[in-house]
Amino acid sequence: MTDNNKPMSALTAALYGALIVYLGGWYLDYWYGNFSLLLFILSAVTCAFWLAERFRFRPAREKAARQLEAGDAARRAELARLGIDKVDGDVAEARDKVLQQPWWLDWTAGLFPVIIVVFVMRSFLFEPFKIPSGSMIPTLQIGDLILVNKFHYGIRLPVINKKIIDNHELQRGDVVVFRYPVDPRMDYIKRVVGLPGDEVSYLNAQLKINGQPAPLTSLGEAYDDESIHYMAQFSEQLGPVEHRIQRRPQIAPFNEMQVSRFPQRELCRYSIEGFVCKVPPGHYFMMGDNRDNSLDSRYWGFVPDENVVGKAFFIWMNFGNLGRIGSFH
């Protein structure tokens, strides 16, 4: 290892050590991780190493290899002048060693193309997401691995999530991943129920949008493994989207004590029967399909547009039930 390689090798080892500590603390729940920010930093660091390899380190190795070949050629020419035709030693092996990329460049510059492709795809195209709770049962089950379309609602800059190009507007009935308004470090997934300007009411377990009941068709009862109870299931129509929801067979009174002091709560009225909310401009009202087991806009308020991550549309894997793979509404 040359003197120039030693500090770079130490720097690379330190960077990987910091990465391991960060990921370990994230996994052990010592702190929240921001995968978008992590990918951005990894892209920037590996890009710097890639540029250094392209314009400094590789040209230096190639120059050293040429000097080695030139020295060998001069040595052989001098020996030939002295009448010595048979010369020991093969410069090719030494040249290959000189040109060999050191490990710290293999693990930085060599990974840059892979990391940047993952960063671009995850930031602007599709992002995987795991369903961690039962709030979207029966549409989505715990353990479903889904894909989120990041460009359906417009192109947003990664990390800061600022929209720079508009695309489709959110529609009632869309299943959306968004940053939790109470703690934006966490991602939530719910269904869009109310759009800006809508009046959303949920009184005695009946959902109404602008005074019009969301059409329901009973599908009977089904056993819910999570709650260990039979739940009443329905087909619900929200805009063009027909999907399934579930509720407890008996309507329970609404507990206003569970509602937090969220921004613009004055736009909502609560009672033992439920609530009525006016959705403010630039915000959305989200609810889970598991209506009696979902922590959603009823309790923590409206979702601002800047918190929207993307539209969930496809289950790409469920290791406990491969039959779950496919699109959903």
Side-chain angles (χ1 to χ4, degrees), residues 93-105:
E93 183 177 351
R95 177 181 178 277
D96 290 342
K97 288 184 177 180
V98 170
L99 290 174
Q100 186 177 7
Q101 194 177 65
W103 74 267
W104 51 270
L105 281 172

Side-chain angles (χ1 to χ4, degrees), residues 1 10 39 58 87 90 95 113-114 120 131-132 144 158 161 163 165 197 202 210 248 271 286 293 296-297 309 326:
M1 183 180 295
L39 276 180
R58 189 171 70 188
V87 182
D90 184 3
R95 177 181 178 277
V114 176
V120 170
I131 302 300
D144 283 345
N161 210 41
K163 186 186 290 187
I165 300 176
Y202 193 70
N210 299 321
R248 294 192 183 97
S271 69
M286 308 287 191
N293 188 22
D296 50 36
S297 287
V309 173

Side-chain angles (χ1 to χ4, degrees), residues 11-175:
L11 174 62
T12 304
L15 290 173
Y16 267 95
L19 178 62
I20 291 170
V21 170
Y22 176 76
L23 292 176
W26 185 0
Y27 179 78
L28 295 173
D29 291 328
Y30 287 122
W31 49 72
Y32 283 106
N34 186 326
F35 197 62
S36 295
L37 179 59
L38 177 62
L39 276 180
F40 176 77
I41 294 173
L42 288 176
S43 298
V45 170
T46 55
C47 178
F49 276 85
W50 183 86
L51 290 173
E53 162 70 354
R54 175 69 176 80
F55 295 106
R56 180 183 175 184
F57 296 120
R58 189 171 70 188
R61 295 197 305 273
E62 290 173 346
K63 180 180 178 181
R66 289 193 298 269
Q67 291 174 343
L68 180 67
E69 290 177 327
D72 181 74
R75 182 174 69 90
R76 290 176 182 273
E78 178 62 21
L79 291 174
R81 188 181 66 81
L82 297 175
I84 303 174
D85 297 327
K86 191 172 183 179
V87 182
D88 294 333
D90 184 3
V91 75
E93 183 177 351
R95 177 181 178 277
D96 290 342
K97 288 184 177 180
V98 170
L99 290 174
Q100 186 177 7
Q101 194 177 65
W103 74 267
W104 51 270
L105 281 172
D106 277 338
W107 284 84
T108 51
L111 293 177
F112 171 66
V114 176
I115 292 175
I116 196 65
V117 167
V118 172
F119 177 67
V120 170
M121 290 189 63
R122 189 182 183 277
S123 299
F124 300 106
L125 300 178
F126 304 104
E127 179 179 350
F129 185 81
K130 182 178 180 180
I131 302 300
S133 72
S135 69
M136 286 297 292
I137 294 173
T139 304
L140 297 171
Q141 304 286 336
I142 297 174
D144 283 345
L145 302 176
I146 65 171
L147 285 179
V148 177
N149 187 324
K150 299 292 290 287
F151 61 87
H152 185 79
Y153 299 126
I155 303 298
R156 297 174 184 266
L157 293 176
V159 182
I160 62 175
N161 210 41
K162 181 177 176 58
K163 186 186 290 187
I164 55 175
I165 300 176
D166 284 323
N167 198 355
H168 300 90
E169 298 291 332
L170 274 74
Q171 301 293 322
R172 293 188 199 93
D174 287 355
V175 178

